[in-house]
Amino acid sequence: MKEDKTTGRLPRPKKTLALALAAALAAPSPALATLGYFAHGYGLKAKGMGGVAIALPQDTTSAITNPANLGLVGNRIDLEVEWFRPNRGAEIVNPLLGGTWDANGRKDFIIPGVTFGRALRPDLSAGLLVYGNGGMNTTFDRNPFAALGGSNPGGVDYMQLFLSPTIAWKPSENHALGLSLNFVYHQFGAQGLEPFAPLSANPGNVTNLGRDDSWGIGFRLGWTGRVSESVTLGAMWQPKTNMGKLDRYRGLFRNGGDLDIPALWGVGIALRATPRLTVAADLQRIDYAKIPAIGTAPDCLFAGTCQLGAADGPGFGWRNMSALKLGLGYEWSRELTLRAGFATGRQPIPERHTFLNVIFPAVMEDHLTLGATWKLGDHELTIGYMHAFRKKVNGSGSIPGAFGGGEANLRMHQNAIGIGLGWRM
């Protein structure tokens, strides 16, 4: 893209934006599923600081976390792409199913994203956020349920795409309120789950049916306030998003395929410790346990008192999850900013529910992140890296007697690296 030599700025990137939106919409890739099936952060600047963004408006992607941030970042576009590699698997200690199982039949994921915002007047900004969420993929080339009749390959794939028109209003120079209207598309497919079909109210709608999809509409609210020259506070809240039913898999998910997106909320603080050093932290909560298809315990299934897909059917037994994110940003020079961060949270799968979650081993807890941004005139180049440390969750009374007893142990670690380009319009 050529620079306008008379102004030193890039020309209005209408064609670039259109192409970026088309690419993002055509490839609803999973985000980095590190806090259950939510990412540890959104936008490479935030991700480089442990995912911190609630009170830290660095670019338009920070409005994904807190829509109020859109009113504090000016007119700009941010594009990014990430390479994401999760390493996931399971160990089953059981007379019939015993063994170690690798779920990395698909190893690499490419994750695009595009966000932009523009001031309509001094106190009002609007923009569009396009990003992915989900990231729940397991591909077992050797199905751990093969001894019970499961076909190869086994596993699941779950993805979400968010299209979020966003507005931010500034009642004063240092405070902003934001609203994102979320149009959400999600997609799910399952293979090799034949052994669970006899436990379903709709045994023909459990597995090997390709991908099914549906839409939902929700919203996210946020506030960002610069309460002093050195301190910024923020808060965000997103209620549960009701999604259309996944009819093809009405025999797997509770209430005939009803898989909604859980509520989440968070608070944050950013401190300008020195003219060059910013220290920031977020505390976030995800209410997985309040989504019946995810949070309902599966005990009744193995006791024979309920069926998969029924109105009173089981879920996967996930608990709510809280996450703490810490980040540092250091302006090495006017052109270079360096970042580092750490995010942690108790993973959502209880030890007694690991068996059914062999297909959903979302057990990550601790994440180390690094990043940097180079300013190139009115545009910026950002890189970010994330390593999620290896986590193993050993089952405790996890495999029911009907399946031979024993334990299912889950494990995962992850790496990701991304590059982004941002510029002012």
Side-chain angles (χ1 to χ4, degrees):
M1 188 176 298
K2 294 183 179 180
E3 184 176 283
D4 185 338
K5 294 183 178 179
T6 63
T7 64
R9 297 187 178 186
L10 293 171
R12 290 186 177 182
K14 294 182 180 179
K15 292 183 179 179
T16 302
L17 176 60
L19 290 172
L21 284 170
L25 291 171
S29 299
L32 283 66
T34 57
L35 301 177
Y37 64 67
F38 285 81
H40 79 285
Y42 296 90
L44 287 172
K45 289 182 180 179
K47 289 176 180 178
M49 295 180 68
V52 175
I54 293 176
L56 194 61
Q58 299 186 85
D59 54 21
T60 56
T61 59
S62 69
I64 296 173
T65 302
N66 182 354
N69 288 341
L70 192 73
L72 301 171
V73 296
N75 301 334
R76 58 180 292 145
I77 293 176
D78 293 283
L79 311 176
E80 64 180 46
V81 62
E82 285 185 282
W83 166 80
F84 173 45
R85 172 170 279 196
N87 188 306
R88 59 271 195 227
E91 175 189 25
I92 299 180
V93 182
N94 173 275
L96 186 59
L97 305 176
T100 300
W101 311 94
D102 187 311
N104 299 317
R106 182 181 177 190
K107 297 180 179 179
D108 299 302
F109 300 85
I110 302 299
I111 305 161
V114 54
T115 58
F116 77 94
R118 177 178 287 276
L120 304 180
R121 62 190 194 201
D123 64 341
L124 185 66
S125 297
L128 179 66
L129 318 173
V130 182
Y131 62 101
N133 204 21
M136 296 300 298
N137 175 280
T138 49
T139 305
F140 293 92
D141 290 333
R142 294 187 308 113
N143 191 340
F145 304 122
L148 299 175
S151 59
N152 289 316
V156 299
D157 196 13
Y158 179 55
M159 300 184 292
Q160 299 171 351
L161 176 68
F162 282 68
L163 286 76
S164 301
T166 300
I167 58 171
W169 173 59
K170 294 172 62 178
S172 67
E173 183 63 28
N174 294 319
H175 293 265
L177 301 171
L179 168 66
S180 289
L181 184 61
N182 296 327
F183 296 92
V184 189
Y185 169 81
H186 72 170
Q187 201 178 78
F188 177 83
Q191 303 177 84
L193 304 184
E194 291 91 345
F196 295 96
L199 304 178
S200 174
N202 293 284
N205 293 94
V206 173
T207 190
N208 295 28
L209 297 166
R211 294 181 181 272
D212 198 7
D213 55 20
S214 69
W215 286 85
I217 300 177
F219 66 91
R220 182 175 294 195
L221 296 173
W223 163 74
T224 307
R226 293 172 177 154
V227 297
S228 73
E229 290 186 2
S230 59
V231 177
T232 301
L233 302 178
M236 55 74 57
W237 171 65
Q238 177 177 297
K240 181 183 76 170
T241 303
N242 291 308
M243 302 297 294
K245 291 186 178 182
L246 297 166
D247 290 328
R248 291 187 190 177
Y249 292 94
R250 61 183 178 271
L252 179 61
F253 292 114
R254 182 184 167 105
N255 196 29
D258 195 3
L259 181 61
D260 295 327
I261 297 173
L264 67 153
W265 60 266
V267 294
I269 183 171
L271 172 65
R272 192 78 168 179
T274 74
R276 292 191 175 189
L277 177 65
T278 298
V279 181
D282 286 355
L283 178 64
Q284 199 164 45
R285 172 87 166 186
I286 307 170
D287 289 339
Y288 289 118
K290 295 182 180 180
I291 301 300
I294 303 170
T296 305
D299 299 332
C300 64
L301 177 68
F302 302 120
T305 59
C306 68
Q307 294 178 297
L308 289 167
D312 62 347
F316 290 83
W318 285 26
R319 60 196 168 208
N320 294 333
M321 184 176 189
S322 296
L324 176 64
K325 309 172 186 181
L326 304 171
L328 301 174
Y330 184 74
E331 295 179 13
W332 183 268
S333 67
R334 294 184 64 181
E335 292 77 28
L336 176 62
T337 300
L338 304 177
R339 301 183 181 89
F342 182 78
T344 187
R346 185 187 182 199
Q347 61 82 27
I349 301 172
E351 289 79 3
R352 65 190 181 96
H353 296 323
T354 54
F355 180 57
L356 207 56
N357 281 287
V358 165
I359 61 173
F360 279 138
V363 297
M364 300 315 312
E365 291 189 342
D366 297 330
H367 316 75
L368 176 67
T369 69
L370 300 170
T373 295
W374 289 266
K375 291 184 179 180
L376 309 168
D378 281 339
H379 43 296
E380 303 170 336
L381 180 68
T382 298
I383 61 171
Y385 169 74
M386 182 276 296
H387 174 71
F389 293 94
R390 187 179 189 272
K391 175 66 178 179
K392 184 176 182 180
V393 177
N394 292 322
S396 178
S398 57
I399 302 181
F403 286 84
E407 302 297 350
N409 305 323
L410 312 179
R411 59 175 171 79
M412 182 180 281
H413 67 270
Q414 301 173 346
N415 287 283
I417 189 167
I419 186 169
L421 179 65
W423 63 90
R424 299 191 179 278
M425 296 186 291

